[in-house]
Amino acid sequence: MAKKGGRLKNTLLKSTAYTKNKNAKGQIIAQVKKGPSMIAKKDAVTIAPPPPPKKRGNVKPPYSHHQTMLLVGEGNFSFANSLISNIYVEAPENMTATSFDTLEVVKEKYPDAEVILNNLEESGVTLFHGVDASNISKCKPLKGKKFDIIVFNFPHVGAGIKDQDRNIMANQELIAGFFKSALQHLNPNGEIHIALKNSHPYTNWNIKLLASNQDLCMKSKTPFIPSMYPGYAHRRTIGFDDRISTTENEDLMRGAGADAAAGVSNCFTFAFWRLELARKQSQKKQADGNESE
Ligand SMILES: C[S@@+](CC[C@H](N)C(=O)[O-])C[C@H]1O[C@@H](n2cnc3c(N)ncnc32)[C@H](O)[C@@H]1O
């Protein structure tokens, strides 16, 4: 685990030196600025200044900067960066973003991550690496910490298991472990979010059943439309490989049929809350309804 400061800081200092390099023609090949205006070029990866988040019809990102957020299983940290550049601009200190991989592995797997991490660090986001979503407390600084929202976007063990049943089971174990661990870090009214493709084999993971095993139930299901998160670029667990990976979010658009042309993927953010809380809210609603009759 790499904690904010120390090794991370050293790496980011190196990153800043790199960004000041110029190419043979004297052109700046990389430039890092704080916040939304960041423009970075590295290994042909460009992060353009993200425009404000788009609403699609009634759909808007289910987030507010007032909520303390823990992100787990980040890939290149572009989701965290998108929120920081838009929704969390006013409260970056409310965000903690983590990866399962160590900092070294993150940089190796995702060439664009170093610049993004630099921006997050400068913005005041808390960063940790080597955080297991199914054992969050093992990251010492997170022990005892509670959050309003805990997010795991497109979880996948990425173990390359060819047998489909075993692959599904391995991912179910990850999700079940995540629910159990996240509950220990969730405020009483908090929510656990999982973004997932709404197609086979992901539907076979049965995440609602896995949630109910932990006394959680679904509160909402919001379409995950990549353009609602400007700058977000989905990454696979194996890392960025330009022979099979796509720079943007084509992976998420696959299987969306005609919707893909309109930028709408077949993915959703599933929000879960405690069953007990859901029951209380429902009773309260019923009582309020009876009163007004
Ligand atoms: C398909 S990638 C998605 C990455 C990123 N969330 C995104 O949306 O681009 C799956 C991610 O799950 C992470 N992962 C796998 N096992 C994990 C675990 N036990 N704890 C936390 N993250 C894990 C991988 O490291 C990888 O970053």
Side-chain angles (χ1 to χ4, degrees), residues 21 54 56 93 144 148 206 208 214 216 218 275-276:
N21 281 351
K54 284 189 189 118
R56 296 216 164 237
E93 68 282 1
D148 298 324
N206 234 327
K208 282 191 239 169
Q214 306 288 336
L216 286 163
M218 197 170 83
L275 193 57
E276 198 190 317

Side-chain angles (χ1 to χ4, degrees), residues 258-279:
D259 283 347
V264 179
S265 69
N266 187 25
C267 304
F268 289 87
T269 294
F270 298 87
F272 298 93
W273 58 345
R274 290 182 172 92
L275 193 57
E276 198 190 317
L277 181 63
R279 281 201 187 116

Side-chain angles (χ1 to χ4, degrees), residues 72-76 78-79 99-101 109-110 131-134 152-158 174 224 232-238:
V72 298
E74 281 285 270
N76 59 0
S78 60
F79 188 79
S99 64
F100 185 49
D101 293 318
K109 278 187 175 180
Y110 312 105
V131 177
D132 184 348
S134 53
F152 196 167
N153 285 326
F154 305 101
H156 203 285
V157 292
L174 171 63
F224 186 101
Y232 167 63
H234 175 70
R235 290 291 178 261
R236 294 182 183 196
T237 309
I238 47 162

Side-chain angles (χ1 to χ4, degrees), residues 218-220 273 276-293:
M218 197 170 83
K219 182 181 184 190
S220 62
W273 58 345
E276 198 190 317
L277 181 63
R279 281 201 187 116
K280 265 190 204 154
Q281 295 283 338
S282 150
Q283 281 163 3
K284 188 175 175 303
K285 233 177 170 179
Q286 225 170 343
D288 291 349
N290 288 344
E291 255 172 45
S292 61
E293 272 169 18

Side-chain angles (χ1 to χ4, degrees), residues 57-78:
N58 289 333
V59 184
K60 55 184 178 101
Y63 302 113
S64 141
H65 69 265
H66 300 293
Q67 297 158 318
T68 53
M69 177 186 283
L70 171 66
L71 280 162
V72 298
E74 281 285 270
N76 59 0
F77 284 80
S78 60

Side-chain angles (χ1 to χ4, degrees), residues 37-227:
S37 59
M38 179 179 70
I39 298 170
K41 284 186 185 174
K42 187 179 182 241
D43 298 344
V45 176
T46 304
I47 302 157
K54 284 189 189 118
K55 292 179 188 174
R56 296 216 164 237
N58 289 333
V59 184
K60 55 184 178 101
Y63 302 113
S64 141
H65 69 265
H66 300 293
Q67 297 158 318
T68 53
M69 177 186 283
L70 171 66
L71 280 162
V72 298
E74 281 285 270
N76 59 0
F77 284 80
S78 60
F79 188 79
N81 202 40
S82 175
L83 294 189
I84 278 305
S85 307
N86 294 290
I87 299 165
Y88 275 78
V89 173
E90 291 169 49
E93 68 282 1
N94 277 350
M95 180 181 286
T96 299
T98 71
S99 64
F100 185 49
D101 293 318
T102 61
L103 176 61
E104 289 70 22
V105 174
V106 168
K107 286 193 290 180
E108 211 175 282
K109 278 187 175 180
Y110 312 105
D112 49 353
E114 189 168 342
V115 173
I116 293 174
L117 284 168
N118 199 1
N119 189 56
L120 290 174
E121 167 103 349
E122 279 182 27
S123 303
V125 174
T126 304
L127 298 167
F128 298 114
H129 304 278
V131 177
D132 184 348
S134 53
N135 195 354
I136 297 168
S137 297
K138 204 173 164 202
C139 172
K140 286 209 176 89
L142 288 177
K143 211 175 170 158
K145 280 242 154 111
K146 305 246 181 198
F147 298 87
D148 298 324
I149 304 230
I150 302 181
V151 184
F152 196 167
N153 285 326
F154 305 101
H156 203 285
V157 292
I161 303 169
K162 295 272 181 292
D163 179 90
Q164 191 135 109
D165 288 345
R166 282 185 48 228
N167 196 318
I168 289 172
M169 269 169 59
N171 281 297
Q172 285 182 314
E173 260 174 47
L174 171 63
I175 304 292
F178 166 57
F179 279 138
K180 199 170 176 193
S181 177
L183 267 170
Q184 293 166 21
H185 294 271
L186 197 66
N187 280 330
N189 294 343
E191 294 175 21
I192 299 175
H193 288 197
I194 293 182
L196 210 58
K197 265 191 169 187
N198 197 34
S199 59
H200 178 78
Y202 309 100
T203 39
N204 289 52
W205 293 9
N206 234 327
I207 61 168
K208 282 191 239 169
L209 181 70
L210 300 175
S212 71
N213 289 341
Q214 306 288 336
D215 289 332
L216 286 163
C217 68
M218 197 170 83
K219 182 181 184 190
S220 62
K221 182 180 164 186
T222 309
F224 186 101
I225 299 165
S227 61

